[in-house]
Amino acid sequence: MKTTVLCDYRATLETVQHDTGKGPFGRRLIAVVTGGDFKGDRLSGRVLPGGGDWALIDDDTDVLRLDARVTWETHDGAKIFVSYRGILRPLSLLRRKDADRSQLYFRTSPVFETGDPRYLWLNDLICIAEGAVEPNAVRYRIHTVD
């Protein structure tokens, strides 16, 4: 399978994250997106505040399942809704200050929605992304599957 880098994406998150406690599907953690940016050959701009990640934590399997939604605004004013689900494991690695975070498995599958004629090509892409965790932020390299 061949992939091509679409863009690098960074989302900043609220310092305080909301933990709703263990429910019927696991422990829900809600992280509010405060901004960020994305840059690539065909696509660049900023992340608008107000999105979020409604992550589900399974302490038994040490897995965090992402369910994120954000709005991007391109450098030329187009609005793009981006949603993605993914997996981050082992979650316990994030709790250790001396951990080698390159050992994380952090992958998502972004889906794009826009009505802007200049970016309609995004609506039909299949994408995968590799993620990394930073203090109060997440970073992704998004690839198209060719």
Side-chain angles (χ1 to χ4, degrees):
M1 182 180 315
K2 182 179 175 230
T3 65
T4 303
V5 174
L6 175 66
C7 66
D8 290 317
Y9 157 48
R10 183 174 183 271
T12 55
L13 306 170
E14 223 177 54
T15 302
V16 176
Q17 298 179 342
H18 312 286
D19 187 340
T20 64
K22 187 165 182 160
F25 306 108
R27 190 163 44 99
R28 183 71 63 184
L29 181 70
I30 303 163
V32 177
V33 174
T34 58
D37 59 40
F38 55 97
K39 295 176 187 163
D41 290 341
R42 299 177 65 191
L43 189 65
S44 64
R46 68 186 184 115
V47 178
L48 298 178
D53 184 358
W54 292 262
L56 194 59
I57 297 170
D58 185 339
D59 290 319
D60 295 334
T61 60
D62 205 20
V63 171
L64 181 139
R65 297 183 188 285
L66 293 91
D67 180 3
R69 298 171 193 98
V70 296
T71 304
W72 289 2
E73 181 178 47
T74 62
H75 72 284
D76 53 1
K79 302 288 192 309
I80 302 166
F81 174 72
V82 184
S83 61
Y84 49 96
R85 291 183 178 264
I87 292 192
L88 185 153
R89 70 175 189 320
L91 185 57
S92 58
L93 193 67
L94 290 178
R95 297 180 184 119
R96 295 185 7 229
K97 292 189 188 262
D98 63 339
D100 178 3
R101 291 189 173 190
S102 69
Q103 299 302 309
L104 283 173
Y105 178 86
F106 188 9
R107 305 290 186 270
T108 67
S109 53
V111 175
F112 301 96
E113 297 177 37
T114 186
D116 191 293
R118 298 168 293 178
Y119 295 96
L120 292 176
W121 55 272
L122 286 168
N123 293 332
D124 299 322
L125 293 179
I126 299 294
C127 295
I128 55 173
E130 301 169 275
V133 177
E134 300 177 349
N136 299 323
V138 288
R139 187 172 27 90
Y140 301 95
R141 174 154 284 174
I142 300 175
H143 303 258
T144 61
V145 178
D146 302 330

